């Protein structure tokens, strides 16, 4: 008994010095009838993730002189408890996507690990506190953590998204990460040409530089994809002058003559600087109004008439005719 007690004290001393096996110590117990037996006592909690197996040697020493001893090996297998939450490999992910990626495009695969084992390490991924728009555009595989697109992206509607992902194990222990997705613009919007004001009909005596219309352009794309320049197709009588960014004046570049061309269809083309560039056009119908700028003209510059000498007074001796290319009262010829 003295030897056993001494060995117990030595074991406790070793444990205090850190030399004994971690977590357990042997203690001697006695039954009511005086039979002694050893008992293995857990001194502090175990952590399977640090040591999943403990190998102990239990020694029994008698009180003889010299003392005799016997040993037995004890193997302790630590079973898992769900005491570890999942952990993401990153807390914040940043992704850039072009807005023309196809449906089902793989955006990112998040990954979380759990130090537990078996079913305690099974992880389910889900969106966490995201709006309906995110769930409408992106799909999250709850088993693999892969995020894919399930609807078209449109930079002009939203140029970025923030996704919060939750990883949860069967014990409802959870971890979260944030994914910031930036959408890159593609040149997928043609420029628009808008006529804000048009002045028609235009008097034909209007001097060069007369404003015919005010034009505005816009392009929903960004950067060079949204930069627009305009020009007039065909008609040399008209030019565009820039008044400010995306605003133009359509003006006359020379005098007009209604008698030559009474009406113009002016086509304005807008083109962006994207690659490849996109274009659109609009036509303005311009009517030219008349100005009394033409004198009457006789059909002949000289008439030769032969008149008999015996004509009665008031008799018709000849008929002359004059015309005026102007319109309305301006073109009426009076004798």
């Amino acid at each position: 008994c003295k030897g056993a007690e001494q060995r117990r004290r030595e074991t406790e001393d070793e444990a205090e010095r850190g030399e004994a096996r971690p977590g357990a110590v042997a203690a001697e117990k006695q039954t009511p009838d005086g039979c002694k037996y050893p008992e293995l006592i857990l001194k502090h909690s175990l952590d399977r993730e640090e040591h999943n197996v403990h190998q102990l040697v239990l020694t029994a020493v008698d009180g003889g002189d010299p003392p005799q001893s016997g040993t037995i090996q004890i193997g302790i297998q630590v079973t898992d408890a769900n005491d570890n939450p999942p952990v993401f490999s990153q807390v914040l992910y940043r992704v850039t996507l072009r807005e023309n990626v196809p449906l089902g495009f793989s955006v990112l695969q998040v990954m979380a690990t759990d130090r537990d084992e078996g079913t305690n390490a099974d992880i389910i991924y889900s969106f966490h506190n995201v709006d309906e728009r995110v769930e409408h555009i992106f799909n999250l595989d709850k088993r693999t953590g892969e995020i894919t697109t399930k609807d078209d992206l449109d930079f002009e509607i939203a140029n970025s998204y923030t996704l919060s992902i939750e990883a949860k194990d069967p014990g409802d222990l959870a971890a979260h990460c944030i994914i910031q997705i930036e959408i890159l613009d593609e040149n997928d919007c043609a420029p628009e040409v808008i006529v804000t004001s048009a002045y028609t009909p235009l008097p034909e005596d209007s001097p060069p530089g007369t404003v015919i219309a005010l034009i505005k352009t816009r392009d929903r794309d960004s950067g060079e994809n949204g930069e627009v320049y305009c020009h007039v197709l065909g008609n040399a009588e008209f030019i565009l002058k820039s008044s400010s960014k995306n605003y133009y004046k359509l003006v006359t570049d020379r005098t007009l003559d209604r008698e030559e061309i009474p009406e113009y269809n002016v086509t304005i083309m807008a083109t962006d600087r994207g690659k490849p560039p996109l274009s659109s056009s609009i036509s303005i119908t311009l009517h030219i109004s008349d100005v009394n700028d033409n004198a009457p003209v006789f059909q002949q510059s000289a008439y030769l008439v032969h008149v008999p000498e015996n004509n009665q007074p008031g008799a018709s001796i000849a008929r002359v005719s004059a015309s005026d290319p102007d319109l309305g009262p301006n073109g009426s010829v009076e004798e």
Side-chain angles (χ1 to χ4, degrees):
C1 291
K2 180 179 179 182
E5 181 64 22
Q6 181 179 0
R7 179 57 185 167
R8 184 183 65 80
R9 287 196 298 268
E10 290 174 354
T11 302
E12 291 179 349
D13 292 342
E14 290 174 355
E16 292 178 0
R17 294 194 303 269
E19 298 174 357
R21 294 287 183 179
V25 65
E28 187 179 275
K29 297 289 184 176
Q30 184 172 332
T31 62
D33 59 0
C35 181
K36 296 179 180 179
Y37 64 93
E39 187 176 79
L40 193 62
I41 299 173
L42 187 64
K43 294 187 63 178
H44 55 76
S45 59
L46 303 178
D47 191 340
R48 187 202 62 82
E49 288 70 39
E50 292 185 6
H51 296 286
N52 61 347
V53 175
H54 296 272
Q55 296 292 341
L56 305 179
V57 177
L58 181 64
T59 301
V61 181
D62 64 18
D65 188 15
Q68 300 294 322
S69 64
T71 61
I72 188 173
Q73 289 189 343
I74 301 174
I76 299 176
Q77 179 74 40
V78 182
T79 59
D80 185 53
N82 190 20
D83 58 347
N84 290 284
V87 177
F88 278 102
S89 58
Q90 294 178 226
V91 177
L92 177 64
Y93 297 83
R94 298 182 187 274
V95 181
T96 56
L97 285 180
R98 294 192 175 275
E99 64 174 329
N100 61 350
V101 297
L103 298 183
F105 182 81
S106 180
V107 178
L108 174 72
Q109 184 171 7
V110 297
M111 181 174 293
T113 56
D114 194 314
R115 296 179 65 198
D116 295 319
E117 67 176 2
T119 58
N120 291 333
D122 290 341
I123 295 175
I124 299 297
Y125 299 94
S126 62
F127 289 120
H128 181 68
N129 293 335
V130 297
D131 57 34
E132 293 182 359
R133 183 181 62 174
V134 169
E135 296 192 57
H136 180 72
I137 294 176
F138 299 101
N139 181 68
L140 173 62
D141 190 306
K142 65 179 183 179
R143 290 293 181 182
T144 66
E146 183 181 19
I147 301 170
T148 55
T149 59
K150 66 178 182 179
D151 198 1
D152 294 327
L153 301 175
D154 193 339
F155 175 87
E156 288 70 42
I157 295 178
N159 58 14
S160 66
Y161 295 92
T162 299
L163 284 62
S164 177
I165 307 297
E166 181 179 74
K168 183 181 290 187
D169 67 17
D172 286 339
L173 298 178
H176 301 88
C177 73
I178 299 295
I179 302 172
Q180 293 182 349
I181 301 176
E182 179 186 359
I183 308 301
L184 301 180
D185 184 44
E186 292 290 321
N187 192 25
D188 58 347
C189 294
E192 299 177 65
V193 186
I194 303 166
V195 178
T196 59
S197 298
Y199 308 101
T200 184
L202 184 70
E204 62 179 324
D205 63 346
S206 299
T210 300
V211 176
I212 301 168
L214 300 178
I215 309 295
K216 181 177 73 172
T217 64
R218 66 183 179 189
D219 194 314
R220 297 172 63 201
D221 293 317
S222 64
E224 289 188 349
N225 295 334
E227 294 179 8
V228 179
Y229 63 93
C230 288
H231 63 282
V232 179
L233 292 181
N235 302 98
E237 295 86 353
F238 309 99
I239 58 173
L240 279 173
K241 290 186 176 181
S242 177
S243 58
S244 61
K245 184 178 181 181
N246 298 329
Y247 286 88
Y248 299 85
K249 293 178 181 179
L250 179 64
V251 301
T252 58
D253 195 37
R254 62 185 65 177
T255 57
L256 306 176
D257 189 345
R258 187 207 63 82
E259 287 70 40
E260 290 184 6
I261 304 177
E263 181 181 286
Y264 292 88
N265 283 318
V266 185
T267 300
I268 300 169
M269 176 74 74
T271 306
D272 63 29
R273 301 186 186 277
K275 297 179 181 180
L278 299 177
S279 300
S280 64
S281 62
I282 191 172
S283 293
I284 301 174
T285 300
L286 177 63
H287 299 280
I288 307 303
S289 62
D290 185 54
V291 173
N292 192 18
D293 57 348
N294 292 281
V297 178
F298 282 100
Q299 290 182 347
Q300 296 177 218
S301 60
Y303 292 86
L304 178 61
V305 180
H306 297 277
V307 181
E309 62 179 337
N310 59 350
N311 265 358
Q312 294 294 322
S316 175
I317 60 173
R319 181 180 292 277
V320 296
S321 177
S323 63
D324 191 320
D326 294 322
L327 285 178
N330 295 333
S332 297
V333 178
E334 298 180 1
E335 296 180 356

